[in-house]
Amino acid sequence: QQKVQQSPESLSVPEGGMASLNCTSSDRNFQYFWWYRQHSGEGPKALMSIFSDGDKKEGRFTAHLNKASLHVSLHIRDSQPSDSALYFCAASGSTNTGKLTFGDGTVLTVKP
Amino acid sequence: EAAVTQSPRSKVAVTGGKVTLSCHQTNNHDYMYWYRQDTGHGLRLIHYSYVADSTEKGDIPDGYKASRPSQENFSLILELASLSQTAVYFCASSDRQSNERLFFGHGTKLSVL
């Protein structure tokens, strides 16, 4: 079983809309989460991390973590066509090893 | 923004041949990694290194070797390339203080025929 599972596989939202992406870990050792974004033909880029229960907001992006259920979500408000990309959730059991376990990703399409 | 440069950007190799993928970072980062991405899937860790002249096995090391001759350079070596190693390979770096924020290169698309 994959240790980090993402849903949905793909998502389409209108420009200006809200996009919501989900991620769950099946490994209770994974307590630390990252969201990465990958545009076509490029390497992934880190969006934000979340290590504590609750919400973390950075600009139009809000991450929410529930450690009890090992569920993390990413919400993108006022979505823009430039947000169209592959979004990865990544998890780790520590914050200083760089050894991340990635989910398979969610393809987000923002339609003008 | 951290800079990680990979070469080549793409490569076609023959089955059984030797392939070397190179990575160079100019950010004075201690940690470097090699990940593999298969179509429709996430990234999986192959090898990583915390210091020059030392490498560690990641989650899928079989069929791969790594070399870290200096802090800036990290290579991935496929001694006997196989069809199943066709994928996009990403190098990444991070520093001890970055809380696992990885800086990735643009990737190398490897096709083994």
Side-chain angles (χ1 to χ4, degrees):
Chain A
Q1 180 188 7
Q2 188 147 351
K3 291 187 175 182
V4 177
Q5 296 174 303
Q6 292 186 242
S7 64
E9 289 187 9
S10 62
L11 177 65
S12 180
V13 300
E15 183 175 355
M18 174 77 82
S20 296
L21 291 68
N22 298 294
C23 173
T24 302
S25 171
S26 60
D27 189 333
R28 293 219 65 85
N29 291 318
F30 290 165
Q31 294 282 313
Y32 307 99
F33 294 87
W34 277 95
W35 285 99
Y36 282 77
R37 179 166 76 177
Q38 183 181 28
H39 286 106
S40 181
E42 298 181 3
K45 288 185 178 180
L47 280 175
M48 62 191 302
S49 63
I50 185 163
F51 302 153
S52 302
D53 273 320
D55 293 335
K56 182 178 181 180
K57 183 178 179 181
E58 292 188 4
R60 296 185 293 110
F61 300 87
T62 301
H64 176 81
L65 173 60
N66 181 326
K67 279 198 171 186
S69 61
L70 293 179
H71 179 263
V72 61
S73 57
L74 179 68
H75 305 278
I76 307 172
R77 65 171 176 83
D78 189 23
S79 296
Q80 301 298 309
S82 58
D83 293 326
S84 296
L86 178 60
Y87 288 77
F88 290 112
C89 171
S92 176
S94 69
T95 60
N96 60 2
T97 66
K99 294 171 61 182
L100 298 176
T101 297
F102 286 79
D104 282 348
T106 293
V107 176
L108 173 63
T109 302
V110 180
K111 296 186 175 180
Chain B
E1 180 80 3
V4 178
T5 305
Q6 294 183 233
S7 61
R9 289 296 298 268
S10 66
K11 182 172 181 65
V12 179
V14 295
T15 303
K18 182 176 181 178
V19 176
T20 300
L21 308 182
S22 299
C23 179
H24 179 79
Q25 56 102 356
T26 58
N27 307 294
N28 202 32
H29 285 171
D30 294 312
Y31 302 169
M32 295 188 75
Y33 318 84
W34 278 105
Y35 281 87
R36 160 181 178 153
Q37 183 178 30
D38 295 280
T39 302
H41 293 283
L43 294 91
R44 291 180 290 171
L45 181 63
I46 307 171
H47 284 287
Y48 60 100
S49 170
Y50 291 150
V51 67
D53 295 322
S54 178
T55 63
E56 307 289 341
K57 293 181 179 179
D59 298 324
I60 54 164
D62 293 345
Y64 302 94
K65 296 170 78 172
S67 174
R68 182 106 182 259
S70 64
Q71 185 191 41
E72 298 82 14
N73 296 293
F74 193 34
S75 298
L76 185 69
I77 303 144
L78 290 68
E79 295 278 3
L80 295 170
S82 66
L83 293 173
S84 64
Q85 293 176 313
T86 292
V88 179
Y89 292 85
F90 288 99
C91 176
S93 72
S94 68
D95 65 35
R96 298 170 194 242
Q97 311 304 323
S98 67
N99 286 336
E100 307 204 46
R101 175 188 174 110
L102 304 183
F103 294 88
F104 284 88
H106 274 72
T108 294
K109 184 175 182 180
L110 175 64
S111 298
V112 182
L113 306 178

